[in-house]
Amino acid sequence: MKIIMKFITYFSQKRLCYLFLAACTFFAACSKDFFNKQPLDAVSDATFWKTEKDALLALVGCYNTGAGWKGEDFWTPRSLLYLDLMAGNGSEKELIPDRVTDGTLNSAYWVTEGYWRNSYQKLTACNNFLDNIGKVEMDENKKAAMIGEVKTLRAYEYFNLALYFGGVPLVTKVLSIEEANNVLRASRDEVWDFAEAELIEGAAALPASRPASEQGRITAGAALAILGRLQMAKEKWAEAAATYKKIIDFDVYRIHPDFASLFSSGNVATSEFILTSQYQEDVYGHVLLQYMYPETWGGWHQFSPYNELVKAFECIDGKSIEESGLYDPSNPYENRDPRLDYTVLISDRSVFKGQTYIARPGTTSPDRFNRYNWSGYCIRKFMDESFNGNLMNFGGNWAIIRYPEVLLGYLESKLEAGDPIDQTLLDATINLVRGRQNVAMPKVTATGVESLRSVIRRERRVEFAFEGLRYFDVLRWGIAAQELNRQFTGMKLTNNPAGYKDFPVDDEGYLIYQRRNFKAGVNELWPIPLSELQINGNLTQNVGY
């Protein structure tokens, strides 16, 4: 089920909710003695935690991530797309996410500091809920489910913090200022072990599905899907396979037949979504479309896919471009996996709302690649043909975990655990993903470890492009340095590279675009923010920063 409940559901209670959220944030930086005053003109823990209604409002505060321009966290669309750009699927024209993996990252960088800060803000809200929910008089089964939701939210934050920063402070209650300024880093294993236990406990308390009236609240499937990611990161392959199998056996989720519509404003009720950040136009919207749309359609054309991602899409015979006889180097975008055209705008080929996308130099197009720091490609995914509203106020939900991740995770875990792979398993997992109605790629038949591993990794890259999974994958596969210490290319400019002089091109005629210099042994972890080190002398820095 989906997450980040639309606040319109609680419109009549919104003011109280915001007051509560403000109280939670303030509480994180104050001693408990302050709240003993029980102010009569504000919400306090001493007066708030009484009824089920109070508990529900507090729960909304734990889910709240922020709409509009909010970012640098593990929930909002721009922040998750940034992770894919960091991981080598593309660039941002001001190089904001690029700086994380181009060899220039330092402890003062505001982007990685933002992921840290916003995660701990959400952790404070979750800890405050768990510290106080016992005071509320309500149905114990409902209370247990709420606790399961908040423990899942907290575990998701800790999983990601430890993935990107390594060991981090493991805080499970609201701290005083003195306590907060003296915490130590727990090891990554300690943090992940804690998160794993919390997710197992949370999933056991949560329902497999929810009625429409509870749309947006975490289910057992969401808790288990996060658990599956964590177990894969720990290479606990048998456990991960068992976790994913539980989700499959719920028989709740389905592959949606229309790949493109998954990312439209009408994507509210699809059964492919397991975990999402939810939005609503004019009430709780986000601004990703303003960043993403080409200038031709009123956007900022902020993001540019790399050609290395484009090359990862197979030909329609199910073979890579290196292997397929259908691949034509002089016409490289023909006969390709349909998801390529759903994912990337290609100059002189892609049409949106009746107009062709043009990035060629020598034209008057506002999106000609040499006008700004662009690759020539633009993101097509998430662009909704039916949307005619304000690009800064889009209400489409953002998928954090889709059912294809469960199916591909289950297959990969079975493979890496050394379990036998047969066609029945392939047809029940990867071929369901590739076989959706408007993709219809040929079935995978490879069962050998090396060949199937390559197919699975390529499938994850193209299926989830720009959804925030690529960085997780390259880190856990141990290929971050290989993928990010290299030259990246852009659009194809010529079929005669030897005689082409207008712009630098490689020997295939693609624009020589950007170079990244990822530091192996250093950049696999983000630096502990300098601001945190200056406050708390007990914190240690990661190697190389």
Side-chain angles (χ1 to χ4, degrees), residues 74-91:
F74 301 110
W75 298 95
T76 51
R78 177 168 55 87
S79 301
L80 291 168
L81 193 153
Y82 270 10
L83 295 178
D84 259 40
L85 302 181
M86 295 172 194
N89 272 349
S91 177

Side-chain angles (χ1 to χ4, degrees), residues 100-152:
V100 175
T101 55
D102 70 356
T104 66
L105 180 62
N106 61 65
S107 64
Y109 195 41
W110 61 271
V111 172
T112 48
E113 190 272 339
Y115 285 93
W116 174 289
R117 181 186 64 253
N118 289 320
S119 290
Y120 276 103
Q121 285 179 354
K122 183 175 279 290
L123 286 168
T124 297
C126 291
N127 286 338
N128 192 57
F129 181 97
L130 295 170
D131 284 351
N132 290 285
I133 186 63
K135 303 173 186 177
V136 177
E137 295 183 3
M138 61 180 291
D139 180 86
E140 290 301 319
N141 290 327
K142 289 183 179 180
K143 183 186 292 186
M146 286 186 178
I147 292 171
E149 290 174 76
V150 175
K151 286 190 172 185
T152 298

Side-chain angles (χ1 to χ4, degrees), residues 502-516:
D502 293 347
F503 299 94
V505 295
D506 66 10
D507 57 7
E508 296 179 88
Y510 292 100
L511 170 69
I512 296 176
Y513 183 37
Q514 292 176 341
R515 171 85 199 183
R516 292 211 191 174

Side-chain angles (χ1 to χ4, degrees), residues 188-340:
R188 173 185 275 177
D189 284 343
E190 289 171 329
V191 176
W192 275 355
D193 286 347
F194 171 79
E196 185 173 18
E198 293 279 281
L199 290 166
I200 292 170
E201 183 180 337
L206 290 165
S209 62
R210 291 185 181 273
S213 61
E214 295 181 357
Q215 185 184 76
R217 294 176 62 174
I218 283 180
T219 61
L224 291 171
I226 299 168
L227 177 63
R229 282 190 189 180
L230 190 156
Q231 290 169 332
M232 291 179 79
K234 295 177 73 174
E235 297 186 347
K236 297 175 69 172
W237 299 115
E239 292 90 336
T243 295
Y244 285 130
K245 187 62 164 62
K246 288 179 183 178
I247 302 172
I248 295 168
D249 288 345
F250 284 156
D251 198 27
V252 169
Y253 305 104
R254 298 286 184 274
I255 297 296
H256 194 274
D258 184 356
F259 183 79
S261 70
L262 286 169
F263 313 104
S264 71
S265 57
N267 65 0
V268 175
T270 174
S271 59
E272 183 164 313
F273 291 169
I274 296 175
L275 184 64
T276 73
S277 293
Q278 288 200 336
Y279 296 92
Q280 186 169 344
E281 188 178 358
D282 297 326
V283 176
Y284 197 76
H286 64 81
V287 300
L288 180 65
L289 298 193
Q290 182 64 56
Y291 281 85
M292 195 184 68
Y293 270 44
E295 293 196 4
T296 298
W297 290 274
W300 294 339
H301 194 153
Q302 203 76 13
F303 310 124
S304 291
Y306 286 145
N307 190 49
E308 285 63 33
L309 170 64
V310 172
K311 286 184 171 182
F313 289 83
E314 297 172 351
C315 290
I316 56 174
D317 59 2
K319 298 178 181 179
S320 70
I321 62 172
E322 293 81 12
E323 300 169 327
S324 176
L326 296 177
Y327 180 68
D328 179 1
S330 65
N331 196 9
Y333 311 117
E334 288 294 320
N335 299 318
R336 303 289 292 279
D337 183 334
R339 287 173 293 187
L340 173 58

